[in-house]
């Protein structure tokens, strides 16, 4: 039971990002400060013992100086040395080069031969040698230093002393360093936990907002104002939320518009079919069938437009050099029957050598929709003309599609490229369009990284400017 509770608490606790970050930062800090403490303690301990060794080396220099300026016989030198070290607390032993004790300030080893590790190493290496031992539960230092006469050892001075004072200093320093490190570590862990919670807080806010979007609240936004990466993430999230909301609104409008657009011709077809009677005259029967044909044609055009619009995002541009005047003539051939029905004249004033780089199929689709739009909303006896401008300027060259139709009001002109923005919103006569054509035009223009604009005066006509430059 206790094990299950521990496991549950552990899993719940350590699943939090703030805890994991705090633990990670804490471990990194602890390892770093442990290495620093080790280095500090080692250097301090070494410096203390080095100072002690240096102290005894200075004493040896003094002894060597005294011997140099005393009489040449040991009988005269030793009493002089004894008076200099009689107050010295540590043991000082003066030996000849073979290890025979000439003087012991405690008077124990006089005239005895000492051959311990330190003395042996001095004789062998002609250099100082230090050793540390435990004696009666206390740490003792033994240092042997040679007194040189040119290239040979004349005397050896052996010091032995307890270093408990140094050991105590080192121990006190160690405790101080460890205590200070523990306090700093505790402070750092608390600070890192607070800071990581502050870092994680906006992430939690984003998580909650994401769940709201997952549950359908697409207009959810977060109020996170920061100038770092999290602030950038929050701004991106808000932009994404806004785009998702727009997409959802457009989807709803799309479904509503499609339903409405399909409903009208389907209702007309149903009424026409229900009105048919075997007793109707042939002319009436043919008239009804023609009306049904027109409505089914309209449905077919609408379905094709919908398919084209749905595939726009998957369209891959395959650029080639296109003579625009020839392409316009091909489009005019296709739309000439529609223009003749309304006695609208199609004019092509494009320069003969005007060429562009683009996808031929996309260019044709753009021209068909723009010219068809001008014919559809043109007036009887009117015109649709296409002219080029700035033919030699790569930065602003393009074409104008001009008509003298009914025009578009200022209220609606900014929305005509929206999907399903139909004639009943922007035109003051019977609607014959699905509102998809200009949306397709805009998408294809954007795929080419071109630009398009419109100028219009209600009751006088419209001009669509297509710029073939980024």
């Amino acid at each position: 039971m206790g094990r299950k509770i521990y496991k549950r608490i552990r899993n719940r606790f350590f699943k939090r990002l703030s805890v994991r970050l705090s633990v990670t930062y804490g471990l990194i800090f602890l390892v770093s400060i442990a290495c620093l403490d080790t280095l500090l303690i080692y250097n301090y301990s070494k410096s203390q013992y080095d100072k002690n060794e240096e102290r005894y080396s200075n004493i040896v220099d003094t002894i060597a100086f005294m011997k140099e300026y005393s009489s040449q016989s040991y009988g005269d030198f030793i009493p002089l040395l004894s008076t200099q070290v009689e107050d010295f607390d540590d043991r000082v032993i003066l030996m000849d080069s073979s290890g025979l004790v000439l003087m012991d300030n405690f008077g124990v080893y006089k005239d005895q031969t000492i051959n311990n590790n330190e003395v042996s190493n001095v004789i062998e290496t002609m250099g100082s040698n230090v050793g540390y031992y435990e004696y009666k539960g206390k740490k003792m230092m033994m240092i042997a230093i040679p007194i040189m006469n040119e290239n040979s050892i004349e005397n050896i001075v052996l010091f032995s002393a307890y270093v408990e004072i140094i050991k105590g200093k080192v121990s006190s320093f160690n405790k101080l360093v460890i205590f200070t490190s523990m306090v700093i570590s505790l402070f750092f862990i608390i600070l890192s936990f607070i800071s990581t919670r502050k870092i994680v807080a906006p992430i939690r806010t984003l998580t909650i907002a994401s769940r709201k979007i997952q549950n359908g609240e697409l207009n959810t936004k977060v109020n996170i104002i920061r100038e770092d990466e999290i602030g950038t993430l929050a701004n991106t999230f808000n932009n994404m939320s806004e785009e998702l909301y727009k997409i959802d609104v457009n989807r709803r409008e799309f479904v509503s518009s499609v339903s409405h657009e399909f409903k009208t011709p389907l209702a007309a077809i149903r009424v026409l079919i229900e009105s048919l009677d075997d007793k109707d005259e042939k002319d009436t029967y043919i008239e009804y069938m023609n009306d049904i044909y027109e409505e089914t044609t309209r449905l077919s055009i609408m379905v094709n437009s919908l398919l084209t619009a749905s595939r726009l995002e998957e369209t891959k541009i395959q650029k080639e050099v296109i003579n625009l005047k020839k392409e316009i003539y091909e489009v005019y051939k296709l739309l000439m029957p529609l223009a003749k029905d309304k006695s609208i004249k199609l004019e092509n004033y494009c320069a003969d050598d005007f060429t562009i780089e683009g996808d031929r199929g996309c260019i044709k689709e753009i021209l068909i929709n723009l010219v068809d739009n001008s014919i559809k909303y043109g007036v009887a006896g009117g015109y649709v003309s296409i002219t080029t401008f700035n033919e030699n300027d790569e930065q602003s060259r393009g074409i104008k599609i001009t008509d003298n139709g009914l025009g578009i009001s200022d209220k609606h002109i900014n929305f005509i490229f929206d999907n399903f923005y139909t004639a009943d919103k922007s035109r003051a006569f019977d609607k014959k369009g699905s509102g998809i054509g200009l949306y397709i035009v805009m998408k294809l223009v954007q795929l080419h990284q071109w630009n398009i604009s419109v100028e219009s005066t209600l009751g006088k006509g419209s001009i669509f400017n297509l710029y073939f430059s980024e």
Side-chain angles (χ1 to χ4, degrees):
M1 182 68 180
R3 190 174 181 181
K4 289 182 178 179
I5 295 174
Y6 167 75
K7 189 175 182 180
R8 187 182 303 171
I9 294 174
R10 185 192 64 183
N11 291 339
R12 184 175 180 181
F13 187 71
F14 282 99
K15 279 184 178 179
R16 296 180 181 178
L17 179 60
S18 59
V19 174
R20 293 205 303 270
L21 285 174
S22 299
V23 171
T24 302
Y25 293 154
L27 288 175
I28 293 173
F29 182 79
L30 288 175
V31 170
S32 301
I33 206 166
C35 294
L36 180 61
D37 287 354
T38 303
L39 185 63
L40 284 173
I41 291 170
Y42 171 78
N43 286 334
Y44 180 79
S45 176
K46 186 175 184 301
S47 67
Q48 292 299 311
Y49 286 109
D50 285 349
K51 285 180 181 178
N52 195 53
E53 292 171 14
E54 184 179 358
R55 171 174 171 248
Y56 288 107
S57 295
N58 292 334
I59 294 173
V60 172
D61 291 340
T62 302
I63 294 172
F65 177 81
M66 290 169 58
K67 183 176 185 307
E68 181 179 354
Y69 289 97
S70 66
S71 61
Q72 298 300 314
S73 65
Y74 286 119
D76 296 332
F77 170 68
I78 291 174
L80 178 63
L81 177 61
S82 299
T83 61
Q84 295 295 319
V85 300
E86 61 184 2
D87 296 329
F88 202 70
D89 294 334
D90 302 325
R91 167 161 280 171
V92 182
I93 297 175
L94 178 67
M95 297 174 283
D96 62 13
S97 59
S98 65
L100 178 65
V101 176
L102 303 176
M103 188 205 76
D104 178 1
N105 64 333
F106 286 174
V108 176
Y109 294 105
K110 180 77 169 62
D111 296 328
Q112 296 183 28
T113 300
I114 297 176
N115 192 24
N116 59 17
N117 290 335
E118 285 69 36
V119 173
S120 298
N121 288 333
V122 166
I123 296 172
E124 183 179 349
T125 63
M126 294 187 180
S128 300
N129 190 265
V130 181
Y132 290 93
Y133 305 92
E134 288 289 334
Y135 182 71
K136 294 183 179 180
K138 296 181 179 180
K139 189 171 185 178
M140 172 180 284
M141 179 194 74
M142 190 171 290
I143 177 171
I145 304 173
I147 298 176
M148 305 297 295
N149 183 8
E150 295 183 354
N151 295 325
S152 62
I153 297 175
E154 184 173 354
N155 296 102
I156 299 172
V157 179
L158 179 66
F159 292 97
S160 61
Y162 290 109
V163 289
E164 288 298 310
I165 295 176
I166 298 175
K167 184 179 178 182
K169 287 182 179 180
V170 172
S171 178
S172 298
F173 179 79
N174 293 352
K175 291 176 182 178
L176 178 63
V177 169
I178 293 172
F179 177 76
T180 304
S181 298
M182 289 177 65
V183 172
I184 295 174
S185 299
L186 180 62
F187 176 76
F188 178 82
I189 290 172
I190 294 173
L191 184 64
S192 65
F193 184 74
I194 294 172
S195 61
T196 51
R197 280 180 65 87
K198 188 175 181 180
I199 293 172
V200 172
I203 297 177
R204 289 178 180 170
T205 302
L206 287 166
T207 302
I208 294 171
S210 299
R211 286 173 180 167
K212 288 183 178 180
I213 289 179
Q214 183 182 7
N215 293 330
E217 300 178 36
L218 300 180
N219 201 26
T220 301
K221 292 186 178 180
V222 294
N223 185 23
I224 299 174
I225 302 174
R226 297 175 59 151
E227 295 183 357
D228 53 10
E229 289 82 356
I230 293 179
T232 303
L233 176 61
N235 291 332
T236 304
F237 178 89
N238 288 336
N239 293 335
M240 178 197 70
S241 173
E242 186 176 348
E243 288 300 318
L244 285 174
Y245 181 73
K246 287 181 180 178
I247 291 172
D248 185 62
V249 170
N250 289 336
R251 178 185 62 81
R252 295 174 186 273
E253 290 181 354
F254 177 84
V255 173
S256 177
S257 298
V258 169
S259 300
H260 180 72
E261 292 293 334
F262 281 173
K263 182 178 179 180
T264 302
L266 288 173
I269 293 171
R270 179 178 179 180
V271 170
L272 290 169
I273 292 174
E274 290 175 349
S275 300
L276 288 175
D277 195 326
D278 292 338
K279 297 179 180 180
D280 288 335
E281 295 181 0
K282 183 178 180 180
D283 292 340
T284 303
Y285 191 85
I286 293 174
E287 181 183 352
Y288 281 7
M289 293 302 296
N290 287 334
D291 290 341
I292 291 173
Y293 176 77
E294 288 182 4
E295 294 298 332
T296 55
T297 301
R298 180 183 172 189
L299 282 172
S300 178
I301 293 172
M302 191 181 304
V303 169
N304 289 333
S305 297
L306 286 170
L307 289 173
T308 301
S310 66
R311 294 170 182 166
L312 285 176
E313 300 301 329
E314 301 174 3
T315 301
K316 293 184 179 180
I317 301 299
Q318 296 181 349
K319 291 187 176 182
E320 58 180 297
V321 178
I322 301 170
N323 185 292
L324 202 58
K325 187 166 188 174
K326 293 180 180 180
E327 204 64 34
I328 292 171
Y329 275 131
E330 294 297 321
V331 171
Y332 278 179
K333 288 180 183 179
L334 292 174
L335 299 177
M336 189 61 71
L338 294 176
K340 284 184 177 180
D341 286 344
K342 298 185 70 172
S343 300
I344 291 177
K345 186 179 180 181
L346 301 179
E347 301 170 345
N348 184 0
Y349 297 115
C350 184
D352 293 337
D353 58 349
F354 191 89
T355 58
I356 60 170
E357 284 191 10
D359 187 282
R360 187 178 297 276
C362 293
I363 295 297
K364 190 172 184 178
E365 188 72 28
I366 291 171
L367 292 172
I368 287 174
N369 280 289
L370 289 175
V371 175
D372 177 70
N373 187 74
S374 293
I375 294 172
K376 194 179 296 178
Y377 299 110
V379 294
Y383 69 89
V384 176
S385 69
I386 299 180
T387 58
T388 54
F389 57 87
N390 298 333
E391 290 89 347
N392 299 320
D393 187 350
E394 293 294 331
Q395 299 300 319
S396 60
R397 62 202 302 261
I399 59 172
K400 291 184 178 183
I401 296 93
T402 307
D403 66 67
N404 61 342
L406 293 180
I408 310 168
S409 68
D410 293 338
K411 179 181 178 181
H412 299 292
I413 198 167
N414 292 327
F415 305 102
I416 62 172
F417 292 107
D418 291 351
N419 203 5
F420 283 105
Y421 200 83
T422 53
D424 61 322
K425 296 178 182 178
S426 61
R427 310 284 184 164
F429 63 99
D430 60 326
K431 63 176 182 177
K432 298 179 181 179
S434 62
I436 303 175
L438 292 181
Y439 169 78
I440 293 173
V441 168
M442 176 58 76
K443 288 297 182 181
L444 293 176
V445 167
Q446 290 174 347
L447 283 173
H448 281 81
Q449 295 184 325
W450 294 338
N451 288 292
I452 188 169
S453 64
V454 59
E455 306 168 25
S456 186
T457 303
L458 194 62
K460 292 186 178 180
S462 303
I463 301 175
F464 286 85
N465 300 299
L466 180 57
Y467 300 91
F468 299 117
S469 59
E470 297 184 11

